[in-house]
Amino acid sequence: MAQTPDLGEDRTIFGEGPYPDSGPLAVLARLAFLAAVLAIVVAVFLPRWIVPQFTRSHYLEHFAAFYVAALAGLAAMPRTQLRRLGSAYVVFALILESTHLFAGAPLRPLLDNAVADLGGLAAALAPVLVDRFRRRFPPRAG
C-alpha cells in the first residue's frame, strides 16, 4: 500500500492547511448561516408579541443578530470577497428595515434599527479586516 507524501500541511480541523468544502465544520458553517438569516427574516415579519425578547434593548438584539449572521456568513463563504459579503448584508438589512415602511412605520426607529444592524455587521467584519492589514507587514528580522 503506497503512502501519501507528507506535504507539511496541517489537515486537522483547526489547523492551517487546506480544509475540504465538505468537511464537517464547513457544512456546519453553512447551516448556521442559513439558520441565522432565516431567524432574522422570521423575526422581522412575525408580530412583535410572538418574537421572544433576548435582551432589554431592541437595538442590541438587532446588533447581535447581524453580528452572528455576519460571522456565520464569513465562515460559510470563505472564498467570497469581504466587500461583496458586506455589501450583500447592507442591502439585506436595508431591504428588511424598509419593508416596515409599507406597513406605515415611522422612519426614525427604522433608521435606528438599520444603524444597529450595520453596527453588528461592522463589529463582525472589523477583526478580519484588521488581521488582513496586519498580515501585509513582513515580520521584523531578528
Side-chain angles (χ1 to χ4, degrees), residues 71-139:
L71 287 178
L74 286 169
M77 297 174 274
R79 293 182 188 96
T80 303
Q81 293 178 347
L82 283 182
R83 185 177 299 123
R84 187 172 178 194
L85 188 64
S87 298
Y89 271 110
V90 168
V91 169
F92 176 62
L94 294 178
I95 287 173
L96 284 178
E97 295 303 339
S98 66
T99 60
H100 292 295
L101 292 173
F102 299 115
L107 182 62
R108 177 64 187 191
L110 299 180
L111 289 176
D112 291 343
N113 290 346
V115 168
D117 297 343
L118 299 179
L121 174 62
L125 296 181
V128 177
L129 293 172
V130 170
D131 181 57
R132 288 186 178 182
F133 173 73
R134 290 176 50 88
R135 287 183 188 191
R136 296 187 69 189
F137 293 90

Side-chain angles (χ1 to χ4, degrees), residues 9-30 75-76 78-79:
E9 296 175 347
D10 183 4
R11 293 196 172 267
T12 59
I13 289 180
F14 297 107
E16 293 293 325
Y19 193 77
D21 288 346
S22 60
L25 288 181
V27 172
L28 184 62
R30 289 185 208 107
R79 293 182 188 96

